[in-house]
Amino acid sequence: MKILIIIIGLWGIYESITKFPNSTVKLYFYTTLTNIACIIFSIFYLYKNINKKTYNVNKERIINIIYYIITVSIFIVSLTYNLIIFPNYHTSLINYGMENFIFHLIVPILFVCDWLIFAKKDSLNIKSIYYCLIPFIAYLIGIYFRAFFIGTKIFSGPNSGNSLYPYFFLDIDKLGLSNVIIYIFIILILILILGYILEKFGKKIKLN
């Protein structure tokens, strides 16, 4: 499963680099960063398993929580893109493309299934759910820091013209601060809900 995630994830990155002339722009997208996190973690975990690496209880707990956080993050990437972003950017599934198919469907499905089947979930509790907010909040800080202090419009919006923001729902200039806050609040709540569902469902699979 992890080998598949690594191979298909790298294929998605290749598609992304060859599709866009300025491939570095893609590194500002939460989707790309989260898929890279899935690949890196899969490589680490594969190396750990092959070499039968063991760590102390605290390190194992941290590894398992990171595994869980990345799983929730890639899950939210899939849901957000397919339910919010794609309907606003495109009108036909023909425009979905191989890169989006890999980044927003295949890797998320593989990684979530991998976590549900193979991850150790003893370290998780209700408090662990709130850790899942950290990557998205850190991402928001980075994106708005770049927009306010660098201010170069390098992103193509759903309409014509460039934007300071990689996603339309973060664009304060076009949507206004209140609407952006609503979008962010919805995503944060969705992250907590998905985190709760995965934590409860994952433990039930383990018990069975």
Side-chain angles (χ1 to χ4, degrees):
M1 186 76 81
K2 289 176 175 61
I3 291 173
L4 276 176
I5 291 168
I6 294 166
I7 293 173
I8 296 175
L10 290 174
W11 180 14
I13 291 174
Y14 170 78
E15 289 286 335
S16 178
I17 291 173
T18 56
K19 183 177 178 180
F20 295 93
N22 185 9
S23 57
T24 56
V25 173
K26 300 297 290 182
L27 293 176
Y28 290 103
F29 286 81
Y30 193 68
T31 293
T32 306
L33 295 174
T34 310
N35 274 270
I36 290 173
C38 290
I39 295 168
I40 292 173
F41 189 84
S42 295
I43 292 172
F44 162 76
Y45 218 93
L46 194 63
Y47 169 81
K48 178 177 179 291
N49 289 347
I50 290 174
N51 292 279
K52 298 181 180 178
K53 292 278 186 179
T54 56
Y55 303 98
N56 61 45
V57 175
N58 288 332
K59 285 186 178 179
E60 286 289 347
R61 179 178 177 275
I62 292 171
I63 291 170
N64 292 332
I65 290 175
I66 291 173
Y67 197 174
Y68 169 65
I69 291 172
I70 295 175
T71 303
V72 175
S73 298
I74 197 67
F75 200 167
I76 197 70
V77 160
S78 181
L79 287 182
T80 303
Y81 183 82
N82 290 294
L83 297 180
I84 299 176
I85 299 173
F86 184 79
N88 280 276
Y89 273 73
H90 305 289
T91 57
S92 172
L93 287 175
I94 297 174
N95 299 320
Y96 205 85
M98 181 57 69
E99 176 206 3
N100 289 324
F101 184 65
I102 291 171
F103 278 174
H104 300 106
L105 279 179
I106 301 302
V107 171
I109 290 171
L110 287 174
F111 203 87
V112 171
C113 289
D114 179 72
W115 182 84
L116 287 172
I117 297 169
F118 300 110
K120 296 178 181 179
K121 306 170 184 74
D122 300 336
S123 305
L124 301 179
N125 52 45
I126 293 298
K127 291 182 181 178
S128 304
I129 297 170
Y130 296 99
Y131 294 143
C132 299
L133 297 174
I134 295 174
F136 187 66
I137 292 174
Y139 176 75
L140 291 175
I141 292 171
I143 286 301
Y144 284 112
F145 180 87
R146 186 205 164 277
F148 295 151
F149 292 99
I150 299 177
T152 306
K153 294 184 177 182
I154 58 175
F155 304 104
S156 298
N159 301 313
S160 59
N162 293 329
S163 173
L164 291 170
Y165 309 95
Y167 298 108
F168 78 91
F169 55 84
L170 300 180
D171 196 329
I172 296 175
D173 299 331
K174 293 180 181 178
L175 295 182
L177 180 60
S178 59
N179 288 324
V180 168
I181 290 174
I182 291 172
Y183 271 115
I184 291 174
F185 180 76
I186 291 171
I187 292 173
L188 292 175
I189 294 299
L190 187 56
I191 290 172
L192 292 176
I193 292 172
L194 289 178
Y196 178 80
I197 291 171
L198 282 178
E199 192 264 343
K200 294 299 180 185
F201 188 61
K203 283 186 175 179
K204 283 187 177 181
I205 287 179
K206 185 198 171 211
L207 290 174
N208 291 334

